[in-house]
Amino acid sequence: MSDDAVNGTSHAQEACGDRSQRVAALCREVAASAAPMAHCSLLRRKVERMTKKTFPSDFLWGVATAAYQVEGSPLADGAGVSIWHRFSHTPGRVANGDTGDVACDHYNRYAEDVELMKRIGVGAYRFSISWSRILPDGTGRVNQKGLDFYRRLVDALRRADIRPMATLYHWDLPAALDDRGGWQNRDVASWFAEYADVAFRALDDGVDFWATINEPWVVMDGGYMHGALAPGHRNLFEAPLATHNLLRAHGAAVAAYRAAGKKQIGIVVNLEPKYLASDSEEDRAALLRADAYMNRQYLDPVFRGSYPEEMRDIFGEAWPEFPSADFDAIRAPLDFVGINYYLRGVTKNEPSAVPTRSTNVRVPGAIYTETSWEVFPDAFTKILLWFRERYGAIPVYVTENGSAFYDPPTAISDPVEDPLRVHYLRGHLTALASAMEQGANVRGYFVWSLLDNLEWSHGYSKRFGIVHVDFATQKRTLKRSAVVYSDVIRDSGIED
Ligand code: BGC
């Protein structure tokens, strides 16, 4: 990394340079088309108000996906069953009975998808590895054919000059391990390290960045607290154990990496900055609980070696005393942190809401996505600065950011026009640049997602892709957001 890249502050400066030439050119154009002169001064004012945010030349621009959401062929070539395969085949768990059996058929079409990435111009691809493709029973026997798929993918990316970022766990635990207690079993840390070690030894030469766990908060909250995600439990006492074992597994994988790997390793967390719904004392206390639960529960142990003090208040007697020796492994130094940002939470006290006794309120007049998430780019700036302030200058990659808006099942134009997603993307890139101007040490950004895909329990009903997928034919069509993203990457900047 250049000195420039180390100092995030100087990167996203305004570049107004050639504005006067552009105004003059625009005026000449208007005059030639015999438009009224008033038009010309309007344009001049518009251009003068425009600022351009620029990013460093070595900024990493990427797109992201996850194995169960895009690959399909979950049992091909000797792969074992994952908890998501089992969950989606359980009636009532996923909208419309959708499963990942075919998904985007990325398992067979990865080469075409790498071509698409090349067309868009991205420099990095974040994908995840399916644990049960590689170790069908979770531990023990290695399935070489599973590893071969990721080898082919990594090689294709390298040939296209796209840097691979591999996530080891994006929610698809081998079902055989769930049967042994899954994230409730303390042994999961050594199971995970065993799997991670196989992946590191097979792929580290081609993979530049490794992420241990994607969004441990979602694994705990969706999988063990509220049950909307696999394995679908709802148990106040299981949630803290899942949290702690996820972090222990993360630490064990980092230790394995230091012995076997040569590149970079980090963890990926989802952050949701909390704002007050009112100034009342109750809402203020609720905000602290919600913030501890979502934003500090994983980062505090990793960077400060202990859980936030609010955890005991949140979980009551379900929050156990964890062995203090566990934190030595959990706080192993990392090379980077991945931050996923989608929305903010405007928080109010809600005594009936388990476990935080808080809830998000809807903001009148705001734009909401199809997943009912408020579009609020300022919170993206805020959370990146908060991270810098609380946890220091470790390099950050924004490993996911994106939005679900309605697109038709079949592409009706090429590119598919998706103005709301374009609006979201532009707003968040501007907010990112602004965080970098103010000191956030961000080195790269990955759009969620390259493709429309299986949005977990929503099935295929929510489209996050910048590339449209027709699930009846598997035809891919770029959306306007992909074209805009491509321009941003080419120009290393965005007009405000
Ligand atoms: C997850 C993705 C998911 C996205 C949108 C993130 O929580 O990592 O797998 O599709 O958000 O919900």
Side-chain angles (χ1 to χ4, degrees), residues 407-463:
D407 302 301
T410 299
I412 52 170
S413 61
D414 184 359
V416 171
E417 297 300 339
D418 60 340
L420 289 169
R421 193 173 292 97
V422 167
H423 170 79
Y424 184 99
L425 178 67
R426 295 182 59 84
H428 285 78
L429 288 175
T430 305
L432 167 63
S434 161
M436 291 169 70
E437 270 171 5
Q438 295 173 67
N441 189 14
V442 183
R443 307 293 182 86
Y445 171 93
F446 293 71
V447 168
W448 185 270
S449 177
L450 171 67
L451 302 169
D452 292 333
N453 59 45
L454 180 107
E455 177 52 23
W456 304 112
S457 52
H458 293 297
Y460 297 99
S461 66
K462 309 290 177 207
R463 292 176 177 268

Side-chain angles (χ1 to χ4, degrees), residues 69 170-171 214-215 218 340 342 373 400 448 455-456 464:
Q69 295 182 273
H170 204 124
W171 309 355
N214 177 69
E215 302 187 348
V218 175
N340 296 350
Y342 288 93
W373 296 347
E400 287 179 33
W448 185 270
E455 177 52 23
W456 304 112
F464 273 90

Side-chain angles (χ1 to χ4, degrees), residues 109-187:
R109 294 170 197 259
Y110 69 90
E112 181 191 338
D113 293 336
V114 171
E115 277 305 308
L116 276 173
M117 293 178 224
K118 218 173 139 180
R119 236 177 104 192
I120 297 169
V122 300
Y125 177 43
R126 174 173 179 244
F127 60 94
S128 81
I129 297 177
S130 159
W131 186 341
S132 53
R133 277 199 200 285
I134 295 192
L135 291 145
D137 306 314
T139 58
R141 187 173 51 89
V142 172
N143 178 32
Q144 185 58 42
K145 285 189 171 169
L147 274 176
D148 291 346
F149 165 65
Y150 295 106
R151 180 84 255 172
R152 290 194 295 278
L153 173 62
V154 165
D155 288 350
L157 290 165
R158 297 244 73 118
R159 280 195 301 275
D161 223 5
I162 296 171
R163 299 175 74 187
M165 177 184 279
T167 302
L168 288 164
Y169 189 73
H170 204 124
W171 309 355
D172 45 357
L173 190 72
L177 296 183
D178 191 47
D179 293 341
R180 294 162 72 183
W183 292 108
Q184 296 301 294
N185 188 329
R186 270 183 76 86
D187 290 347

Side-chain angles (χ1 to χ4, degrees), residues 362-384:
R362 222 174 144 90
V363 180
I367 301 176
Y368 280 83
T369 69
E370 284 271 290
T371 44
S372 295
W373 296 347
E374 188 197 354
V375 178
F376 195 75
D378 281 0
F380 188 26
T381 309
K382 175 173 159 157
I383 201 73
L384 291 169

